[in-house]
């Protein structure tokens, strides 16, 4: 692919900056939406000269456009002869660039946070771990969180009788917005932190697009939740495994899926993607790429997992949505007697609030992943081996969020240790 930026009308006082893209015998011409004085355009280097007052913003936008074009090009399936497989794929390329440029043009002509947030939701693409922009869109659940934050920003703006703009997203806005989320919206610190995380992602995207140069958002603090998380002990997992659920197909199925997750340590989002193609029964592994961390873990087919798979000879699984799965898991936990009291903690405005609930009320799909870590530690498996299965990059994350031994396990371990005195 050959990509060229150039001035449309070199003899005019002000001219649009154009893009010429050529590949596979085809040529496309687009307008960047940027206009400069021809004297401020470096033809040889295809860039804006330092004399242009808007050089920084324009340069960021040109880089963003070039990155989008290259990403769109690399998403085209090519044949062995180097030609595009179909005219449809070429048309999709052209439409994608036109949409991106139209979205950028809309955002560049407004300082309104609300208008730009809509463009962000429609056009944002995830970056790889190396920072390279990819063709991958966020999940629908993530986009739902983006829309929620966008709506809350509009609500906040209406309550404060002010139109939000990039230049007033500062420390004063941050303190006011966090206080409004906590008091007016009655959100706990974990939910407030998620709003701030999304806001910072949006502000970083907008800055990369050249829509602002306000760095105040980088100093926004994301409150960390203090909500309790649980994991099951080996005995509790056995009680789920051995429960007689012949009278409830629904609970039997969610039980098997929970065990499948607990035996592999997979996140639910990765678990629901597995099928026959992921199982290597000859060598005893499950091969599943991890979406979140872009890693390929080592997941052995253990004897408990092998026994579970005997009930599914086709290796096809019909998974519930995560919402339904979490509802059914609480019913399952109550049925098998996970009634031990657990102190559930939440924080709001930095103050902790505690309530006591039966353990089954905290049973979710992610408890299965935590239980894999906790039970593996209980059985004496090394931390480094556990991380190779779960895909955790560091031991700190695993120990902080996933290693949740039960009080009974801690009690017995300490008693056994001190019995040697």
């Amino acid at each position: 692919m050959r990509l060229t930026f150039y001035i449309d009308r070199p003899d005019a006082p002000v001219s649009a900056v154009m893009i010429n893209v050529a590949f596979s015998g085809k040529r496309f011409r687009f307008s960047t939406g940027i206009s400069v004085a021809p004297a401020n355009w470096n033809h040889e280097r295809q860039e804006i000269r330092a004399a242009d007052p808007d050089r920084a913003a324009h340069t960021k936008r040109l880089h963003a456009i070039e990155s989008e074009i290259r990403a769109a090009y690399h998403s085209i399936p090519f044949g062995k002869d180097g030609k595009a497989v179909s005219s449809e794929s070429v048309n999709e390329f052209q439409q994608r660039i036109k949409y991106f440029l139209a979205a950028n043009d809309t955002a560049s002509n407004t300082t309104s946070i609300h208008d730009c947030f809509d463009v962000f939701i429609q056009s944002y693409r995830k970056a790889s771990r190396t920072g390279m922009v990819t063709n991958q869109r966020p999940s629908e659940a993530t986009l739902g969180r983006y829309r929620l934050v966008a709506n809350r920003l509009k609500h906040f703006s209406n309550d404060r009788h002010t139109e939000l703009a990039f230049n007033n997203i500062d420390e004063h806005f941050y303190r006011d917005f966090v206080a409004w989320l906590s008091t007016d919206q009655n959100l706990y610190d974990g939910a407030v932190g998620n709003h701030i995380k999304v806001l910072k992602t949006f502000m970083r995207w907008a800055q990369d697009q050249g829509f602002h140069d306000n760095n105040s958002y980088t100093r926004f603090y994301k409150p960390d939740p203090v909500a309790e998380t649980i994991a099951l002990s080996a005995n509790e997992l056995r009680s789920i495994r051995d429960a007689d659920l012949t009278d409830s197909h629904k609970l039997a199925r969610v039980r098997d899926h929970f065990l499948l997750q607990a035996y592999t340590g997979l996140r639910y989002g990765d678990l629901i993607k597995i099928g026959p193609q992921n199982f290597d029964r000859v060598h005893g592994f499950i091969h599943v790429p991890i979406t979140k961390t872009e890693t390929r873990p080592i997941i052995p087919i253990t004897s408990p997992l092998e026994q579970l798979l005997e009930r599914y000879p086709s290796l096809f699984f019909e998974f519930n949505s995560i919402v339904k799965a979490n509802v059914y898991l609480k019913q399952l936990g109550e049925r098998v007697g996970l009634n031990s009291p657990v102190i559930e903690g939440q924080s709001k405005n930095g103050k902790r609030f505690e309530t006591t609930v039966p353990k089954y009320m905290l049973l979710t799909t992610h408890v299965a992943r935590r239980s894999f870590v906790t039970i593996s530690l209980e059985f004496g498996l090394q931390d480094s081996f556990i991380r190779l299965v779960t895909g955790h990059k560091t031991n700190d994350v695993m120990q902080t969020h996933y290693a949740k031994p039960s009080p009974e396990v801690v009690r017995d371990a300490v008693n056994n240790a001190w019995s040697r005195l």
Side-chain angles (χ1 to χ4, degrees), residues 19 64 75 99 124 129 144 153 167 172 181 183 188 190 204 215 268 280 293 314 329 331 352 368 379 382 386 398 405:
I19 316 166
S75 69
Y99 175 82
Y124 180 68
R129 295 180 65 83
L153 282 171
N167 60 3
H172 174 76
L181 289 171
T183 56
Y188 288 109
R204 189 179 303 111
N215 289 316
Y268 197 71
D280 180 0
T293 57
S314 67
L329 281 173
Q331 298 174 9
R352 183 177 173 86
F379 289 160
Q382 295 180 25
I386 298 174
M398 189 182 73

Side-chain angles (χ1 to χ4, degrees), residues 201-219:
T201 299
F202 162 69
M203 290 293 290
R204 189 179 303 111
W205 169 86
Q207 189 172 34
D208 290 342
Q209 303 303 308
F211 300 148
H212 72 89
D213 289 311
N214 178 5
N215 289 316
S216 296
Y217 74 91
T218 61
R219 298 186 292 274

Side-chain angles (χ1 to χ4, degrees), residues 121-359:
I121 294 172
Q122 293 296 324
S123 62
Y124 180 68
R125 285 175 171 80
K126 297 169 64 176
S128 67
R129 295 180 65 83
T130 61
M132 181 180 295
V133 176
T134 69
N135 192 36
Q136 186 178 359
R137 291 275 287 156
S139 67
E140 189 55 40
T142 300
L143 292 175
R145 288 193 289 272
Y146 291 175
R147 296 185 190 101
L148 174 63
V149 174
N151 290 333
R152 284 236 164 87
L153 282 171
K154 291 177 183 178
H155 190 178
F156 172 78
S157 178
N158 291 335
D159 279 2
R160 294 297 185 266
H161 305 290
T162 182
E163 179 71 14
L164 295 179
F166 286 116
N167 60 3
N168 61 22
I169 303 299
D170 53 16
E171 285 80 1
H172 174 76
F173 158 82
Y174 167 76
R175 290 191 296 270
D176 196 16
F177 186 51
V178 167
W180 179 82
L181 289 171
S182 298
T183 56
D184 294 53
Q185 299 300 297
N186 197 32
L187 299 184
Y188 288 109
D189 287 351
V192 172
N194 288 334
H195 281 66
I196 299 304
K197 180 180 178 181
V198 171
L199 178 62
K200 292 178 73 171
T201 299
F202 162 69
M203 290 293 290
R204 189 179 303 111
W205 169 86
Q207 189 172 34
D208 290 342
Q209 303 303 308
F211 300 148
H212 72 89
D213 289 311
N214 178 5
N215 289 316
S216 296
Y217 74 91
T218 61
R219 298 186 292 274
F220 292 175
Y221 170 73
K222 173 184 172 294
D224 290 325
V226 295
E228 301 300 324
T229 57
I230 65 168
L232 302 184
S233 66
N235 284 333
E236 289 171 327
L237 191 63
R238 290 187 189 105
S239 69
I240 290 178
R241 180 196 64 187
D242 299 335
D244 182 3
L245 302 174
T246 53
D247 63 332
S248 176
H249 174 72
K250 175 184 70 177
L251 294 185
R253 184 172 68 171
V254 79
R255 183 264 306 276
D256 286 353
H257 295 165
F258 184 84
L259 292 175
L260 180 60
Q261 192 178 2
Y263 294 160
T264 60
L266 285 168
R267 295 178 181 85
Y268 197 71
D270 295 315
L271 181 77
I272 61 177
K273 299 175 184 177
I274 66 172
Q277 72 279 2
N278 300 109
F279 290 85
D280 180 0
R281 304 295 286 272
V282 175
H283 298 96
F285 291 103
I286 300 177
H287 301 291
V288 183
I290 301 301
T291 303
K292 184 175 181 179
T293 57
E294 299 176 6
T295 58
R296 189 173 290 277
I298 302 172
I299 304 177
I301 300 177
T302 59
S303 55
L305 178 55
E306 190 69 64
Q307 294 174 20
L308 175 64
L309 295 180
E310 290 177 2
R311 296 203 287 270
Y312 298 89
S314 67
L315 299 179
F316 281 105
F317 304 90
E318 297 180 9
F319 294 101
N320 294 302
S321 70
I322 193 168
V323 174
K324 286 186 177 180
N326 287 336
V327 171
Y328 298 157
L329 281 173
K330 290 173 176 57
Q331 298 174 9
L332 174 65
E334 184 178 19
R335 175 158 174 171
V336 301
L338 297 181
N339 297 317
S340 58
V342 176
I343 297 176
E344 183 181 27
Q346 294 280 2
S347 64
K348 184 186 293 185
N349 283 327
K351 296 180 180 179
R352 183 177 173 86
F353 301 88
E354 293 183 346
T355 56
T356 301
V357 298
K359 193 168 190 175

Side-chain angles (χ1 to χ4, degrees), residues 42-77:
N42 187 323
H43 175 72
E44 292 183 357
R45 303 186 64 171
Q46 298 181 39
E47 64 181 29
I48 297 172
R49 299 182 189 275
D52 190 283
D54 298 317
R55 183 194 185 200
H58 289 339
T59 299
K60 285 182 180 179
R61 195 166 304 146
L62 290 177
H63 288 166
I65 293 171
E66 181 177 358
S67 296
E68 178 68 11
I69 291 174
R70 294 193 183 281
Y73 172 77
H74 289 303
S75 69
I76 298 175

